[in-house]
Amino acid sequence: MFPGAEHEMVTMYFASPSALYLAHYCGLGNHPNLIASMDAETGDLMFDCVGIGANFGACPDTDHMHSVRYHLEGDSLTASWKTMAGGKLTEPMVFSLKRK
């Protein structure tokens, strides 16, 4: 995300035998791990912080990317990221992508 920018970030997805995870290498300098779940009603793929990761203190004491919701509809993907800042969740930062 934001290649070449001051706050360039990378998100890596990985599987364990029992779950799907992501590690978000954040511009904040930490790397929280998030675990996947599915919203049965909408079919959205959601990831929520599991409270561990590199350079990462206790949640909610550490500012970090806390959750993301992916919504896929036709040729469009919407990612809604929420940050934990000062012990509170922020309004989502929404990124919309459309296949050409």
Side-chain angles (χ1 to χ4, degrees), residues 13-47:
Y13 302 85
F14 60 98
S16 75
S18 60
L20 176 66
Y21 292 89
L22 70 76
H24 180 73
Y25 295 84
C26 190
L28 294 171
N30 55 34
H31 314 138
N33 289 339
L34 290 74
I35 190 168
S37 64
M38 182 73 68
D39 184 320
E41 190 173 307
T42 65
D44 291 354
L45 179 60
M46 303 175 302
F47 287 87

Side-chain angles (χ1 to χ4, degrees), residues 69-79 95-99:
R69 175 183 284 259
Y70 292 110
H71 178 76
L72 184 61
E73 189 169 328
D75 287 339
S76 297
L77 172 68
T78 303
F95 301 91
S96 297
L97 305 171
K98 186 167 177 74
R99 185 182 351 205

Side-chain angles (χ1 to χ4, degrees), residues 24 26 28 30-34 49-51 56-67 82-86 88-90:
H24 180 73
C26 190
L28 294 171
N30 55 34
H31 314 138
N33 289 339
L34 290 74
C49 186
V50 296
F56 188 78
C59 179
D61 297 334
T62 302
D63 291 355
H64 65 280
M65 285 302 217
H66 189 75
S67 64
K82 288 187 177 181
T83 301
M84 180 70 70
K88 297 182 180 180
L89 285 175
T90 64

